[in-house]
Amino acid sequence: MSENAPDPRRRLSTPEVAAEELADWRLLAGRLHARFVPADYATGLEFVARIGAAAEAADHHPETTLTYGDVLLTLSSHDVGGVTSRDVRLARRVSALAEELGIRADPGGLSRVEIGLDTARGEEHARFYAALLGARVMHEGEVADPSLQAPTLWWQGPAAEGSAGEAPLPGPEVEQRWHFDVWVAPEEARRACGPPSTPAGGSSATPRRPRSGWSRTSTATGPASARRRTAPDSARGPACA
């Protein structure tokens, strides 16, 4: 490795990923996501085959979904739990392959859904749900399904105990609360949220896990709360404030 070559095992920060200017890709939940729209299924299949060859050559493999109208890809380096220069290089290669085949990128509407549980027993829950779903316990205690059949599960501890790197959890109305975390790119959040408002059920913007930026709590009653989260957007504040 040359002195100036990036360390392929160093996890890149959000500003570092943004500086790569990967126009076809969005950073959501610590992973690069892209959507490409082929003219027909056969072209999509050819695209996926070329991606596979490039992935084999790089010894680095994206998660790939082919449907009739879309090719969806996710890139991350599982050994470090984030995005590295390996992902950036392969993302550029995939975009080049799409251009060669005349396939347009459509990053609009890309999202990722995770389910969180407010609990002081995250480690215990992680073992149980990993066994139940045939999933794996990842770096930060999250449960991720390698087959992508189930969303990622994560745990937020109470203020007394805290979860690593997180804002304290407010006092729960019930013993446990499940909530949905929907990750979207900042431009999508701005388009969807519009001006700040406070609906009848109550609404607030609160800082959450540092890797997620900000979240918006849409329901203030009952055992469940729905939150919309955005990928960090440089030094700006929440997309939904």
Side-chain angles (χ1 to χ4, degrees), residues 89-150:
R89 284 196 299 271
L90 189 53
R92 293 193 192 282
R93 179 60 181 145
V94 169
S95 292
L97 291 171
E99 186 173 359
E100 290 172 10
L101 290 169
I103 298 174
R104 68 180 178 88
D106 180 16
L110 285 170
S111 64
R112 181 178 177 87
V113 177
E114 295 181 348
I115 300 177
L117 176 65
D118 301 338
T119 178
R121 300 162 59 191
E123 185 176 347
E124 180 180 342
H125 284 295
R127 291 195 302 269
F128 171 77
Y129 281 102
L132 180 68
L133 299 172
R136 300 172 184 166
V137 180
M138 307 304 286
H139 296 272
E140 298 178 1
E142 299 177 337
V143 173
D145 178 8
S147 70
L148 307 181
Q149 296 182 85

Short mmCIF file of all heavy atoms in Angstrom, two decimals, residues 89-150:
data_model
loop_
_atom_site.label_atom_id
_atom_site.label_comp_id
_atom_site.label_asym_id
_atom_site.label_seq_id
_atom_site.Cartn_x
_atom_site.Cartn_y
_atom_site.Cartn_z
N ARG A 89 -15.00 2.68 -4.02
CA ARG A 89 -14.48 2.23 -5.32
C ARG A 89 -15.51 1.38 -6.07
O ARG A 89 -15.72 1.57 -7.27
CB ARG A 89 -13.20 1.42 -5.11
CG ARG A 89 -11.97 2.26 -4.81
CD ARG A 89 -10.69 1.44 -4.99
NE ARG A 89 -10.66 0.29 -4.09
CZ ARG A 89 -10.16 0.32 -2.87
NH1 ARG A 89 -9.64 1.44 -2.39
NH2 ARG A 89 -10.14 -0.78 -2.13
N LEU A 90 -16.16 0.46 -5.35
CA LEU A 90 -17.13 -0.39 -6.02
C LEU A 90 -18.37 0.41 -6.43
O LEU A 90 -18.97 0.15 -7.49
CB LEU A 90 -17.52 -1.56 -5.12
CG LEU A 90 -18.37 -2.65 -5.78
CD1 LEU A 90 -17.73 -3.18 -7.06
CD2 LEU A 90 -18.61 -3.81 -4.80
N ALA A 91 -18.77 1.40 -5.62
CA ALA A 91 -19.91 2.25 -5.99
C ALA A 91 -19.62 2.98 -7.30
O ALA A 91 -20.48 3.07 -8.19
CB ALA A 91 -20.20 3.25 -4.87
N ARG A 92 -18.42 3.50 -7.43
CA ARG A 92 -18.05 4.18 -8.69
C ARG A 92 -18.08 3.20 -9.86
O ARG A 92 -18.53 3.55 -10.96
CB ARG A 92 -16.66 4.80 -8.56
CG ARG A 92 -16.56 5.95 -7.58
CD ARG A 92 -15.25 6.69 -7.75
NE ARG A 92 -15.01 7.60 -6.66
CZ ARG A 92 -15.58 8.78 -6.51
NH1 ARG A 92 -16.46 9.19 -7.41
NH2 ARG A 92 -15.30 9.55 -5.47
N ARG A 93 -17.60 2.00 -9.64
CA ARG A 93 -17.58 1.00 -10.71
C ARG A 93 -19.00 0.63 -11.13
O ARG A 93 -19.30 0.52 -12.33
CB ARG A 93 -16.82 -0.25 -10.23
CG ARG A 93 -16.76 -1.37 -11.26
CD ARG A 93 -16.07 -0.93 -12.52
NE ARG A 93 -16.01 -1.99 -13.52
CZ ARG A 93 -16.10 -1.79 -14.83
NH1 ARG A 93 -16.24 -0.56 -15.32
NH2 ARG A 93 -16.03 -2.81 -15.66
N VAL A 94 -19.89 0.46 -10.16
CA VAL A 94 -21.28 0.13 -10.48
C VAL A 94 -21.93 1.26 -11.28
O VAL A 94 -22.63 1.01 -12.27
CB VAL A 94 -22.07 -0.14 -9.18
CG1 VAL A 94 -23.57 -0.20 -9.47
CG2 VAL A 94 -21.61 -1.44 -8.53
N SER A 95 -21.69 2.50 -10.88
CA SER A 95 -22.25 3.63 -11.62
C SER A 95 -21.72 3.67 -13.05
O SER A 95 -22.45 3.99 -13.99
CB SER A 95 -21.92 4.94 -10.89
OG SER A 95 -22.62 5.02 -9.66
N ALA A 96 -20.43 3.33 -13.22
CA ALA A 96 -19.85 3.30 -14.57
C ALA A 96 -20.49 2.20 -15.41
O ALA A 96 -20.76 2.39 -16.61
CB ALA A 96 -18.34 3.08 -14.48
N LEU A 97 -20.76 1.05 -14.81
CA LEU A 97 -21.42 -0.04 -15.53
C LEU A 97 -22.83 0.37 -15.96
O LEU A 97 -23.27 0.05 -17.07
CB LEU A 97 -21.48 -1.29 -14.65
CG LEU A 97 -20.15 -1.98 -14.37
CD1 LEU A 97 -20.33 -3.07 -13.31
CD2 LEU A 97 -19.57 -2.59 -15.64
N ALA A 98 -23.53 1.06 -15.07
CA ALA A 98 -24.87 1.53 -15.41
C ALA A 98 -24.82 2.47 -16.60
O ALA A 98 -25.65 2.40 -17.53
CB ALA A 98 -25.51 2.22 -14.21
N GLU A 99 -23.84 3.37 -16.61
CA GLU A 99 -23.72 4.32 -17.71
C GLU A 99 -23.42 3.59 -19.02
O GLU A 99 -23.96 3.93 -20.08
CB GLU A 99 -22.61 5.32 -17.40
CG GLU A 99 -22.51 6.44 -18.42
CD GLU A 99 -21.51 7.51 -18.02
OE1 GLU A 99 -20.92 7.39 -16.92
OE2 GLU A 99 -21.32 8.46 -18.81
N GLU A 100 -22.58 2.56 -18.96
CA GLU A 100 -22.25 1.79 -20.16
C GLU A 100 -23.50 1.14 -20.77
O GLU A 100 -23.62 1.02 -21.99
CB GLU A 100 -21.24 0.70 -19.82
CG GLU A 100 -19.84 1.22 -19.50
CD GLU A 100 -18.93 0.11 -18.99
OE1 GLU A 100 -19.33 -1.07 -19.09
OE2 GLU A 100 -17.82 0.42 -18.52
N LEU A 101 -24.43 0.72 -19.91
CA LEU A 101 -25.64 0.04 -20.38
C LEU A 101 -26.81 1.00 -20.61
O LEU A 101 -27.91 0.57 -20.95
CB LEU A 101 -26.05 -1.03 -19.36
CG LEU A 101 -25.13 -2.25 -19.27
CD1 LEU A 101 -25.48 -3.10 -18.05
CD2 LEU A 101 -25.23 -3.08 -20.55
N GLY A 102 -26.58 2.30 -20.39
CA GLY A 102 -27.64 3.27 -20.58
C GLY A 102 -28.72 3.19 -19.51
O GLY A 102 -29.89 3.50 -19.78
N ILE A 103 -28.34 2.79 -18.31
CA ILE A 103 -29.29 2.66 -17.20
C ILE A 103 -29.18 3.89 -16.31
O ILE A 103 -28.09 4.27 -15.88
CB ILE A 103 -28.99 1.39 -16.37
CG1 ILE A 103 -29.14 0.15 -17.25
CG2 ILE A 103 -29.89 1.31 -15.15
CD1 ILE A 103 -28.73 -1.13 -16.54
N ARG A 104 -30.32 4.51 -16.04
CA ARG A 104 -30.30 5.71 -15.22
C ARG A 104 -30.39 5.37 -13.74
O ARG A 104 -31.01 4.37 -13.35
CB ARG A 104 -31.43 6.66 -15.61
CG ARG A 104 -32.83 6.16 -15.29
CD ARG A 104 -33.89 7.17 -15.71
NE ARG A 104 -35.24 6.70 -15.45
CZ ARG A 104 -35.87 6.87 -14.30
NH1 ARG A 104 -35.28 7.52 -13.30
NH2 ARG A 104 -37.10 6.41 -14.13
N ALA A 105 -29.78 6.20 -12.91
CA ALA A 105 -29.90 6.08 -11.46
C ALA A 105 -31.10 6.88 -10.99
O ALA A 105 -31.43 7.93 -11.55
CB ALA A 105 -28.64 6.60 -10.79
N ASP A 106 -31.78 6.38 -9.96
CA ASP A 106 -32.93 7.07 -9.40
C ASP A 106 -32.85 6.97 -7.87
O ASP A 106 -33.47 6.10 -7.26
CB ASP A 106 -34.24 6.45 -9.91
CG ASP A 106 -35.46 7.16 -9.33
OD1 ASP A 106 -35.32 8.28 -8.81
OD2 ASP A 106 -36.56 6.57 -9.39
N PRO A 107 -32.07 7.86 -7.24
CA PRO A 107 -31.93 7.78 -5.78
C PRO A 107 -33.12 8.33 -5.01
O PRO A 107 -33.20 8.19 -3.78
CB PRO A 107 -30.68 8.63 -5.51
CG PRO A 107 -30.66 9.62 -6.64
CD PRO A 107 -31.21 8.89 -7.84
N GLY A 108 -34.07 8.95 -5.70
CA GLY A 108 -35.24 9.49 -5.02
C GLY A 108 -36.06 8.41 -4.32
O GLY A 108 -36.34 7.37 -4.89
N GLY A 109 -36.41 8.67 -3.09
CA GLY A 109 -37.25 7.74 -2.35
C GLY A 109 -36.51 6.58 -1.70
O GLY A 109 -37.15 5.71 -1.09
N LEU A 110 -35.18 6.53 -1.80
CA LEU A 110 -34.44 5.47 -1.12
C LEU A 110 -34.64 5.59 0.39
O LEU A 110 -34.63 6.68 0.95
CB LEU A 110 -32.94 5.57 -1.44
CG LEU A 110 -32.52 5.11 -2.84
CD1 LEU A 110 -31.07 5.49 -3.09
CD2 LEU A 110 -32.70 3.60 -2.98
N SER A 111 -34.81 4.46 1.05
CA SER A 111 -35.04 4.48 2.49
C SER A 111 -34.58 3.17 3.10
O SER A 111 -34.34 2.19 2.40
CB SER A 111 -36.53 4.70 2.80
OG SER A 111 -37.31 3.61 2.32
N ARG A 112 -34.47 3.19 4.41
CA ARG A 112 -34.16 1.97 5.16
C ARG A 112 -34.96 2.01 6.44
O ARG A 112 -35.02 3.05 7.12
CB ARG A 112 -32.67 1.86 5.45
CG ARG A 112 -32.30 0.59 6.21
CD ARG A 112 -30.81 0.48 6.45
NE ARG A 112 -30.48 -0.71 7.22
CZ ARG A 112 -30.25 -1.90 6.70
NH1 ARG A 112 -30.32 -2.07 5.40
NH2 ARG A 112 -29.95 -2.93 7.46
N VAL A 113 -35.59 0.90 6.81
CA VAL A 113 -36.41 0.82 8.01
C VAL A 113 -35.72 -0.07 9.05
O VAL A 113 -35.28 -1.17 8.73
CB VAL A 113 -37.82 0.26 7.70
CG1 VAL A 113 -38.63 0.12 8.98
CG2 VAL A 113 -38.53 1.16 6.70
N GLU A 114 -35.63 0.43 10.27
CA GLU A 114 -35.15 -0.36 11.40
C GLU A 114 -36.20 -0.31 12.49
O GLU A 114 -37.03 0.60 12.54
CB GLU A 114 -33.82 0.19 11.94
CG GLU A 114 -32.66 0.08 10.97
CD GLU A 114 -31.36 0.61 11.55
OE1 GLU A 114 -31.40 1.26 12.62
OE2 GLU A 114 -30.30 0.36 10.95
N ILE A 115 -36.18 -1.29 13.37
CA ILE A 115 -37.12 -1.34 14.49
C ILE A 115 -36.33 -1.29 15.79
O ILE A 115 -35.40 -2.08 15.99
CB ILE A 115 -37.98 -2.61 14.44
CG1 ILE A 115 -38.78 -2.66 13.14
CG2 ILE A 115 -38.92 -2.67 15.64
CD1 ILE A 115 -39.61 -3.91 12.97
N GLY A 116 -36.68 -0.34 16.65
CA GLY A 116 -35.98 -0.18 17.92
C GLY A 116 -36.88 -0.52 19.09
O GLY A 116 -38.10 -0.35 19.03
N LEU A 117 -36.27 -1.00 20.16
CA LEU A 117 -36.98 -1.31 21.39
C LEU A 117 -36.34 -0.55 22.54
O LEU A 117 -35.12 -0.61 22.74
CB LEU A 117 -36.94 -2.82 21.69
CG LEU A 117 -37.59 -3.26 23.02
CD1 LEU A 117 -39.10 -2.99 23.00
CD2 LEU A 117 -37.32 -4.74 23.28
N ASP A 118 -37.15 0.18 23.30
CA ASP A 118 -36.68 0.85 24.49
C ASP A 118 -36.58 -0.18 25.61
O ASP A 118 -37.61 -0.68 26.09
CB ASP A 118 -37.65 1.97 24.90
CG ASP A 118 -37.82 3.01 23.79
OD1 ASP A 118 -36.92 3.10 22.94
OD2 ASP A 118 -38.83 3.71 23.80
N THR A 119 -35.38 -0.53 26.01
CA THR A 119 -35.20 -1.58 27.01
C THR A 119 -33.82 -1.48 27.65
O THR A 119 -32.86 -1.02 27.02
CB THR A 119 -35.35 -2.97 26.37
OG1 THR A 119 -35.11 -3.98 27.36
CG2 THR A 119 -34.37 -3.17 25.23
N ALA A 120 -33.73 -1.90 28.89
CA ALA A 120 -32.44 -1.98 29.59
C ALA A 120 -31.82 -3.37 29.43
O ALA A 120 -30.76 -3.64 29.98
CB ALA A 120 -32.63 -1.67 31.08
N ARG A 121 -32.47 -4.25 28.66
CA ARG A 121 -31.99 -5.64 28.51
C ARG A 121 -31.66 -5.93 27.06
O ARG A 121 -31.98 -6.99 26.52
CB ARG A 121 -33.07 -6.59 29.02
CG ARG A 121 -33.43 -6.38 30.50
CD ARG A 121 -34.76 -7.01 30.85
NE ARG A 121 -34.78 -8.44 30.59
CZ ARG A 121 -35.90 -9.19 30.61
NH1 ARG A 121 -37.07 -8.61 30.83
NH2 ARG A 121 -35.84 -10.48 30.38
N GLY A 122 -30.97 -4.98 26.42
CA GLY A 122 -30.67 -5.11 25.00
C GLY A 122 -29.85 -6.35 24.67
O GLY A 122 -30.13 -7.03 23.68
N GLU A 123 -28.85 -6.66 25.48
CA GLU A 123 -28.00 -7.82 25.19
C GLU A 123 -28.81 -9.11 25.22
O GLU A 123 -28.64 -9.99 24.36
CB GLU A 123 -26.87 -7.89 26.21
CG GLU A 123 -25.86 -8.99 25.92
CD GLU A 123 -24.69 -8.97 26.88
OE1 GLU A 123 -24.53 -7.97 27.61
OE2 GLU A 123 -23.93 -9.96 26.91
N GLU A 124 -29.71 -9.23 26.17
CA GLU A 124 -30.55 -10.42 26.27
C GLU A 124 -31.50 -10.52 25.08
O GLU A 124 -31.67 -11.60 24.49
CB GLU A 124 -31.34 -10.38 27.59
CG GLU A 124 -32.25 -11.55 27.82
CD GLU A 124 -33.00 -11.45 29.14
OE1 GLU A 124 -32.58 -10.65 30.01
OE2 GLU A 124 -34.02 -12.15 29.29
N HIS A 125 -32.12 -9.40 24.74
CA HIS A 125 -33.03 -9.38 23.59
C HIS A 125 -32.28 -9.71 22.29
O HIS A 125 -32.82 -10.40 21.41
CB HIS A 125 -33.72 -8.02 23.46
CG HIS A 125 -34.81 -7.80 24.46
ND1 HIS A 125 -35.97 -8.53 24.47
CD2 HIS A 125 -34.92 -6.90 25.48
CE1 HIS A 125 -36.75 -8.11 25.45
NE2 HIS A 125 -36.14 -7.11 26.08
N ALA A 126 -31.07 -9.20 22.17
CA ALA A 126 -30.30 -9.43 20.95
C ALA A 126 -30.06 -10.92 20.73
O ALA A 126 -30.23 -11.44 19.62
CB ALA A 126 -28.96 -8.69 21.03
N ARG A 127 -29.69 -11.63 21.77
CA ARG A 127 -29.45 -13.07 21.65
C ARG A 127 -30.73 -13.80 21.25
O ARG A 127 -30.73 -14.68 20.39
CB ARG A 127 -28.90 -13.64 22.96
CG ARG A 127 -27.50 -13.17 23.31
CD ARG A 127 -26.91 -14.04 24.41
NE ARG A 127 -27.72 -14.02 25.62
CZ ARG A 127 -27.56 -13.17 26.62
NH1 ARG A 127 -26.59 -12.25 26.56
NH2 ARG A 127 -28.32 -13.21 27.69
N PHE A 128 -31.85 -13.41 21.87
CA PHE A 128 -33.12 -14.08 21.59
C PHE A 128 -33.56 -13.86 20.14
O PHE A 128 -33.88 -14.81 19.42
CB PHE A 128 -34.19 -13.58 22.55
CG PHE A 128 -35.59 -14.05 22.20
CD1 PHE A 128 -35.99 -15.34 22.49
CD2 PHE A 128 -36.48 -13.20 21.56
CE1 PHE A 128 -37.26 -15.79 22.15
CE2 PHE A 128 -37.75 -13.63 21.22
CZ PHE A 128 -38.14 -14.94 21.52
N TYR A 129 -33.58 -12.59 19.71
CA TYR A 129 -34.10 -12.29 18.37
C TYR A 129 -33.14 -12.77 17.28
O TYR A 129 -33.57 -13.13 16.18
CB TYR A 129 -34.40 -10.80 18.23
CG TYR A 129 -35.71 -10.43 18.88
CD1 TYR A 129 -35.74 -9.81 20.13
CD2 TYR A 129 -36.93 -10.73 18.27
CE1 TYR A 129 -36.94 -9.49 20.74
CE2 TYR A 129 -38.13 -10.41 18.87
CZ TYR A 129 -38.13 -9.79 20.11
OH TYR A 129 -39.32 -9.48 20.71
N ALA A 130 -31.85 -12.79 17.56
CA ALA A 130 -30.90 -13.34 16.58
C ALA A 130 -31.19 -14.82 16.35
O ALA A 130 -31.19 -15.30 15.21
CB ALA A 130 -29.47 -13.14 17.06
N ALA A 131 -31.45 -15.56 17.43
CA ALA A 131 -31.77 -16.98 17.29
C ALA A 131 -33.12 -17.17 16.61
O ALA A 131 -33.29 -18.05 15.76
CB ALA A 131 -31.77 -17.64 18.67
N LEU A 132 -34.10 -16.34 16.96
CA LEU A 132 -35.44 -16.46 16.39
C LEU A 132 -35.46 -16.19 14.90
O LEU A 132 -36.13 -16.90 14.13
CB LEU A 132 -36.38 -15.48 17.11
CG LEU A 132 -37.84 -15.47 16.66
CD1 LEU A 132 -38.52 -16.78 17.03
CD2 LEU A 132 -38.58 -14.29 17.28
N LEU A 133 -34.70 -15.18 14.45
CA LEU A 133 -34.74 -14.75 13.05
C LEU A 133 -33.63 -15.36 12.20
O LEU A 133 -33.57 -15.10 10.99
CB LEU A 133 -34.64 -13.22 12.98
CG LEU A 133 -35.76 -12.44 13.67
CD1 LEU A 133 -35.42 -10.95 13.70
CD2 LEU A 133 -37.09 -12.67 12.98
N GLY A 134 -32.77 -16.17 12.81
CA GLY A 134 -31.62 -16.67 12.07
C GLY A 134 -30.70 -15.54 11.67
O GLY A 134 -30.09 -15.56 10.60
N ALA A 135 -30.58 -14.52 12.53
CA ALA A 135 -29.82 -13.31 12.23
C ALA A 135 -28.51 -13.30 13.03
O ALA A 135 -28.17 -14.26 13.71
CB ALA A 135 -30.66 -12.07 12.56
N ARG A 136 -27.80 -12.19 12.95
CA ARG A 136 -26.53 -12.04 13.63
C ARG A 136 -26.55 -10.83 14.54
O ARG A 136 -27.17 -9.82 14.23
CB ARG A 136 -25.39 -11.87 12.61
CG ARG A 136 -25.23 -13.04 11.64
CD ARG A 136 -24.22 -12.68 10.57
NE ARG A 136 -24.09 -13.73 9.57
CZ ARG A 136 -23.49 -13.59 8.40
NH1 ARG A 136 -22.94 -12.42 8.09
NH2 ARG A 136 -23.41 -14.59 7.55
N VAL A 137 -25.84 -10.92 15.66
CA VAL A 137 -25.64 -9.76 16.53
C VAL A 137 -24.41 -9.02 16.00
O VAL A 137 -23.32 -9.58 15.93
CB VAL A 137 -25.43 -10.18 17.99
CG1 VAL A 137 -25.22 -8.94 18.87
CG2 VAL A 137 -26.63 -10.98 18.49
N MET A 138 -24.60 -7.74 15.64
CA MET A 138 -23.55 -6.98 14.99
C MET A 138 -22.72 -6.19 15.99
O MET A 138 -22.88 -6.33 17.20
CB MET A 138 -24.17 -6.05 13.94
CG MET A 138 -25.07 -6.79 12.94
SD MET A 138 -24.26 -8.15 12.07
CE MET A 138 -23.24 -7.21 10.93
N HIS A 139 -21.89 -5.28 15.46
CA HIS A 139 -20.90 -4.57 16.26
C HIS A 139 -21.48 -3.84 17.46
O HIS A 139 -20.93 -3.87 18.55
CB HIS A 139 -20.13 -3.57 15.38
CG HIS A 139 -19.32 -4.21 14.30
ND1 HIS A 139 -18.04 -4.64 14.48
CD2 HIS A 139 -19.63 -4.49 13.01
CE1 HIS A 139 -17.57 -5.16 13.36
NE2 HIS A 139 -18.52 -5.08 12.45
N GLU A 140 -22.58 -3.13 17.26
CA GLU A 140 -23.16 -2.30 18.32
C GLU A 140 -24.33 -2.99 19.01
O GLU A 140 -25.16 -2.34 19.65
CB GLU A 140 -23.59 -0.95 17.75
CG GLU A 140 -22.42 -0.15 17.17
CD GLU A 140 -22.87 1.16 16.57
OE1 GLU A 140 -24.09 1.45 16.61
OE2 GLU A 140 -22.02 1.91 16.07
N GLY A 141 -24.42 -4.32 18.89
CA GLY A 141 -25.49 -5.05 19.54
C GLY A 141 -26.76 -5.13 18.74
O GLY A 141 -27.75 -5.71 19.18
N GLU A 142 -26.77 -4.56 17.53
CA GLU A 142 -27.94 -4.64 16.67
C GLU A 142 -28.06 -6.05 16.11
O GLU A 142 -27.08 -6.77 15.95
CB GLU A 142 -27.83 -3.64 15.54
CG GLU A 142 -27.77 -2.20 16.01
CD GLU A 142 -27.59 -1.23 14.86
OE1 GLU A 142 -27.11 -1.64 13.80
OE2 GLU A 142 -27.94 -0.06 15.06
N VAL A 143 -29.29 -6.42 15.78
CA VAL A 143 -29.56 -7.74 15.19
C VAL A 143 -29.87 -7.53 13.71
O VAL A 143 -30.83 -6.84 13.36
CB VAL A 143 -30.72 -8.44 15.90
CG1 VAL A 143 -31.11 -9.71 15.17
CG2 VAL A 143 -30.35 -8.74 17.35
N ALA A 144 -29.05 -8.09 12.83
CA ALA A 144 -29.22 -7.91 11.40
C ALA A 144 -29.38 -9.26 10.72
O ALA A 144 -28.65 -10.21 11.02
CB ALA A 144 -28.02 -7.17 10.81
N ASP A 145 -30.35 -9.34 9.81
CA ASP A 145 -30.63 -10.56 9.07
C ASP A 145 -29.83 -10.56 7.77
O ASP A 145 -30.10 -9.73 6.89
CB ASP A 145 -32.13 -10.64 8.77
CG ASP A 145 -32.52 -11.85 7.95
OD1 ASP A 145 -31.65 -12.72 7.72
OD2 ASP A 145 -33.68 -11.93 7.53
N PRO A 146 -28.85 -11.44 7.60
CA PRO A 146 -28.04 -11.43 6.39
C PRO A 146 -28.83 -11.74 5.12
O PRO A 146 -28.43 -11.39 4.02
CB PRO A 146 -26.97 -12.49 6.66
CG PRO A 146 -27.54 -13.37 7.71
CD PRO A 146 -28.41 -12.49 8.54
N SER A 147 -29.99 -12.41 5.26
CA SER A 147 -30.81 -12.73 4.09
C SER A 147 -31.76 -11.58 3.73
O SER A 147 -32.48 -11.67 2.74
CB SER A 147 -31.64 -13.99 4.35
OG SER A 147 -32.66 -13.74 5.30
N LEU A 148 -31.78 -10.51 4.54
CA LEU A 148 -32.60 -9.32 4.30
C LEU A 148 -34.09 -9.58 4.37
O LEU A 148 -34.88 -8.79 3.87
CB LEU A 148 -32.25 -8.69 2.94
CG LEU A 148 -30.77 -8.38 2.69
CD1 LEU A 148 -30.59 -7.75 1.31
CD2 LEU A 148 -30.21 -7.48 3.77
N GLN A 149 -34.50 -10.68 5.01
CA GLN A 149 -35.93 -10.95 5.14
C GLN A 149 -36.56 -10.15 6.27
O GLN A 149 -37.77 -9.90 6.25
CB GLN A 149 -36.15 -12.45 5.40
CG GLN A 149 -35.72 -13.35 4.27
CD GLN A 149 -36.00 -14.80 4.57
OE1 GLN A 149 -37.11 -15.30 4.36
NE2 GLN A 149 -35.01 -15.49 5.11
N ALA A 150 -35.76 -9.75 7.26
CA ALA A 150 -36.27 -9.02 8.41
C ALA A 150 -35.51 -7.72 8.58
O ALA A 150 -34.32 -7.64 8.25
CB ALA A 150 -36.14 -9.87 9.68
#
